[in-house]
Amino acid sequence: MSSFGRCAACKYLRRKCPQDCILAPYFPSSNPQRFACVHKIFGASNVTKMLQQVPEHLRAEAAECISYEAIARVQDPVYGCVGIITQLQQQIVQIHSEIMKTKGEMVAHHSAHPQHHTSPQQQGDPSQFISIHQQEQNNFQSDKHLSGNF
Amino acid sequence: MGGNSPCASCKLLRRRCAKGCIFAPYFPPDDPHRFAIVHKVFGASNISKMLQELPVHQRADAVNSLVYEANARVRDPVYGCVGAISYLQNQVAQLQMQLAVAQAEILCIQVQQEPMAMPSPVVPMDGSDDKSFLLHNNLPQYFNLASNSSNVTHESLKRESFFGHDMVS
């Protein structure tokens, strides 16, 4: 990028934008806020290191995800992306519970009106729904504490 | 942290651990990895600034979430914890479809059995919350997050939860 067409990062950092600036392809000058958030949360040098560690064909996605995380953290300084994950998990539990309730109503209907013909898919085996429910519950165990060790 | 033992941050940064060290309550010396990883991803000075901008009673949760994000980013340098978000958004979409199908089936059954009866109200599925922009604006389509390294992050979600209490109040 030429010296008068600096990327958002180099503009923000008030430095010359070299031809091979690693940040330039992912932080265009048209969106200065995006880099501002990324710099505030991660720091320009950390972001540069992170992008350098990633193969070039994946850097665009990496930059997008880093930006997403930074914006989430600016909007929610306590929980950031983790808050979004928690809310999604809660949403899944809620929707799942609605599904089980609805399927329970279906089973009740079939029991109350056995003379009505239903397709094989509609005939509910409650134990099948319970095992599916259990499997999905196991996917999101909520009774363990967060561990810093992965 | 007073006394003889500097906190994990001051140990790593090789400096004196002052009495009012902002890191000390959250980075005890017996878990050096915890600070090492957030320092690697965010940097000590950024963490310090973030904590200073928060009331004291929220700093523990902030540190825990930063540790989680840092770990996710180290394990998956491309997608970090965004991979998990994409996975969960897909789950939500699939479950919403299942719910819609189930509710439609109930409606059909009710119509067949009692054509004049009023159907049950459809449960609204969209919640409104402060994170509506980030929750409801799914990630851009060029994220091929369904089948990639974010599987590691998915496994971590299956093994653990985030905190021992409800974070979102």
Side-chain angles (χ1 to χ4, degrees):
Chain A
M1 185 163 294
S2 62
S3 58
F4 61 84
R6 292 180 293 173
C7 69
C10 292
K11 259 190 185 169
Y12 188 94
L13 298 169
R14 294 179 191 173
R15 66 186 188 193
K16 190 171 150 200
C17 190
Q19 196 81 340
D20 59 349
C21 175
I22 192 171
L23 300 175
Y26 319 112
F27 297 100
S29 56
S30 53
N31 194 349
Q33 269 296 85
R34 190 158 162 261
F35 180 77
C37 287
V38 166
H39 181 56
K40 178 179 172 155
I41 301 303
F42 293 100
S45 60
N46 284 336
V47 175
T48 301
K49 281 185 219 164
M50 286 193 255
L51 291 179
Q52 281 169 344
Q53 287 166 2
V54 161
E56 196 169 343
H57 67 283
L58 290 173
R59 284 180 188 167
E61 294 198 26
E64 278 297 324
C65 292
I66 289 166
S67 302
Y68 187 97
E69 287 179 34
I71 292 168
R73 182 60 61 178
V74 166
Q75 292 188 344
D76 183 351
V78 181
Y79 300 114
C81 275
V82 173
I84 297 172
I85 290 171
T86 303
Q87 287 198 343
L88 285 167
Q89 287 182 325
Q90 289 174 348
Q91 202 175 344
I92 285 169
V93 168
Q94 186 199 352
I95 297 171
H96 198 276
S97 138
E98 285 298 326
I99 290 171
M100 297 309 296
K101 182 179 156 197
T102 305
K103 289 189 171 173
E105 285 174 19
M106 262 196 281
V107 170
H109 268 287
H110 290 315
S111 305
H113 301 90
Q115 70 276 15
H116 285 273
H117 175 70
T118 54
S119 69
Q121 286 159 328
Q122 290 176 329
Q123 287 171 356
D125 173 9
S127 63
Q128 169 198 350
F129 301 138
I130 290 167
S131 67
I132 290 170
H133 173 72
Q134 188 61 50
Q135 182 184 348
E136 293 193 11
Q137 285 290 348
N138 287 343
N139 288 343
F140 300 105
Q141 292 175 14
S142 58
D143 56 347
K144 290 183 185 175
H145 291 285
L146 173 68
S147 165
N149 299 319
F150 282 71
Chain B
M1 174 172 293
N4 302 327
S5 184
C7 70
S9 354
C10 293
K11 256 190 187 171
L12 186 80
L13 299 171
R14 292 181 191 169
R15 64 186 191 193
R16 191 175 73 88
C17 191
K19 196 168 181 184
C21 174
I22 196 167
F23 297 117
Y26 318 108
F27 297 103
D30 55 358
D31 191 356
H33 169 80
R34 194 168 143 89
F35 181 76
I37 204 148
V38 292
H39 178 51
K40 179 178 172 145
V41 174
F42 296 101
S45 62
N46 287 333
I47 301 275
S48 173
K49 283 181 213 162
M50 283 191 249
L51 291 180
Q52 280 168 4
E53 288 171 7
L54 290 173
V56 174
H57 67 279
Q58 288 184 319
R59 289 179 187 174
D61 278 354
V63 166
N64 285 338
S65 66
L66 287 165
V67 168
Y68 181 85
E69 284 190 36
N71 274 300
R73 185 137 288 283
V74 166
R75 281 183 311 154
D76 187 345
V78 179
Y79 300 108
C81 63
V82 175
I85 291 174
S86 178
Y87 173 78
L88 290 171
Q89 284 177 334
N90 285 339
Q91 288 278 89
V92 166
Q94 284 177 22
L95 286 172
Q96 283 175 336
M97 258 186 354
Q98 286 180 30
L99 180 61
V101 166
Q103 287 175 334
E105 285 181 19
I106 282 276
L107 206 56
C108 285
I109 292 169
Q110 287 173 342
V111 165
Q112 283 169 8
Q113 292 169 353
E114 295 173 61
M116 299 306 294
M118 293 296 291
S120 307
V122 175
V123 175
M125 290 183 287
D126 57 332
S128 58
D129 49 58
D130 293 337
K131 298 188 201 316
S132 55
F133 174 76
L134 286 170
L135 261 181
H136 298 296
N137 279 275
N138 282 1
L139 297 168
Q141 282 186 351
Y142 58 74
F143 281 172
N144 294 318
L145 297 177
S147 55
N148 50 38
S149 60
S150 58
N151 285 335
V152 174
T153 311
H154 308 164
E155 287 302 316
S156 80
L157 279 178
K158 291 175 186 175
R159 286 197 302 272
E160 64 213 32
S161 71
F162 293 87
F163 302 94
H165 57 276
D166 183 7
M167 284 163 46
V168 181
S169 56

